[in-house]
Amino acid sequence: MSITVTRQKQDTKTKMIAVWSPTAAGKTMIAVNLAALMSEIGPTALVDLTADNAVFTWVNCSKTEGLEELIKGNPEEAFYPLHMPKLRVYTKEPDSQNVSFNGEAAILNGIVRALHDHNIVIDAPREYLKAANILAVANISILIADQNIHSSLILQKHITKIRNPVLVVNRFREDCPALADPATVLKKEAVLYIPDRPQPVLESILVGQPVAAKDEEFKTLFSKLLEKLEG
């Protein structure tokens, strides 16, 4: 697949950031918290192009037509989460029959045009063929892996085709073998290790609030991630 994306009238400081993992390694958690932090700095949109639309649950979304309207070129139907009032969210209800994203260049181009004046964080589909166009044009692609070596091996197949990849290791446990570290498998330095602390993460989902807003350790970690991306 190939794609040419143009960003009309876009501020040169704005970015498209793709968040991708081929397995259930926690990419939606990363996408939601990063987008929430970025929205405190400047106009930011979180676009959920996954098959299961997990963002809908993570932000306690009550608007089901936002993503469909965005794909049609109308960005005004965004959902503004209670705990993230500056963040525009575009998602759809899980298992709905509304339009879905299968990697189409035309849909991605339309999203970029509609949000030309926003930083865009995309929660990308797990399937590489559906995510390929996003990963090819994003300014930065955050690759999420945990110590389940399966995810690292799949990433290894595709990492050379991804533009500006940045590795984040999620659910990191000190007691796991060093050989399971995705940085070791991929021979790429990780910019961030996020510890395996499920309780505050699950609590944040229940209230629709980013864990980085409730927990000092997570806040520090995501602030560091943002600094790395801006650097």
Side-chain angles (χ1 to χ4, degrees):
M1 290 186 180
S2 62
I3 182 172
T4 300
V5 172
T6 55
R7 296 187 173 206
Q8 300 174 353
K9 301 180 182 178
Q10 184 185 12
D11 189 307
T12 56
K13 294 182 179 179
T14 63
K15 290 186 175 75
M16 180 197 292
I17 298 175
V19 184
W20 182 63
S21 174
T23 62
K27 65 182 175 60
T28 298
M29 190 273 283
I30 309 294
V32 168
N33 281 273
L34 178 62
L37 194 59
M38 290 174 63
S39 72
E40 295 296 323
I41 300 171
T44 302
L46 172 60
V47 181
D48 179 4
L49 296 180
T50 65
D52 58 1
N53 301 108
V55 167
F56 190 93
T57 301
W58 277 77
V59 301
N60 282 355
C61 187
S62 60
K63 182 169 283 192
T64 60
E65 68 276 10
L67 180 61
E68 186 171 16
E69 287 298 313
L70 177 64
I71 288 173
K72 292 176 182 177
N74 174 22
E76 301 307 317
E77 293 299 321
F79 175 67
Y80 294 88
L82 176 64
H83 297 289
M84 298 166 269
K86 297 180 182 179
L87 177 64
R88 289 185 173 212
V89 176
Y90 300 92
T91 183
K92 67 174 185 174
E93 190 171 9
D95 298 323
S96 73
Q97 298 302 309
N98 293 345
V99 64
S100 59
F101 178 76
N102 292 302
E104 299 91 340
I107 289 179
L108 186 56
N109 270 297
I111 290 171
V112 171
R113 285 194 297 270
L115 297 172
H116 62 83
D117 54 353
H118 280 64
N119 287 311
I120 306 171
V121 177
I122 297 183
D123 190 3
R126 285 186 204 166
E127 292 179 54
Y128 176 74
L129 288 179
K130 292 182 179 181
N133 280 334
I134 301 168
L135 299 171
V137 301
N139 300 96
I140 299 171
S141 294
I142 303 176
L143 308 182
I144 313 300
D146 55 21
Q147 288 158 299
N148 173 356
I149 199 167
H150 179 60
S151 64
S152 298
L153 292 176
I154 298 175
L155 285 173
Q156 194 175 49
K157 293 181 180 180
H158 302 295
I159 194 167
T160 58
K161 297 175 282 187
I162 296 171
R163 183 185 180 197
N164 297 331
V166 171
L167 177 63
V168 170
V169 178
N170 190 34
R171 299 197 287 253
F172 181 73
R173 293 178 51 181
E174 296 281 357
D175 60 345
C176 282
L179 288 175
D181 185 342
T184 301
V185 178
L186 296 170
K187 298 179 181 178
K188 182 175 181 60
E189 182 180 359
V191 300
L192 192 69
Y193 285 84
I194 299 175
D196 186 23
R197 293 183 56 212
Q199 183 171 337
V201 173
L202 293 173
E203 289 174 352
S204 75
I205 299 173
L206 290 174
V207 297
Q209 183 177 14
V211 67
K214 295 167 57 67
D215 185 280
E216 283 300 319
E217 182 180 18
F218 279 101
K219 181 178 180 179
T220 299
L221 289 167
F222 278 97
S223 296
K224 286 181 180 179
L225 176 59
L226 187 55
E227 288 175 11
K228 294 278 188 180
L229 299 181
E230 291 178 338

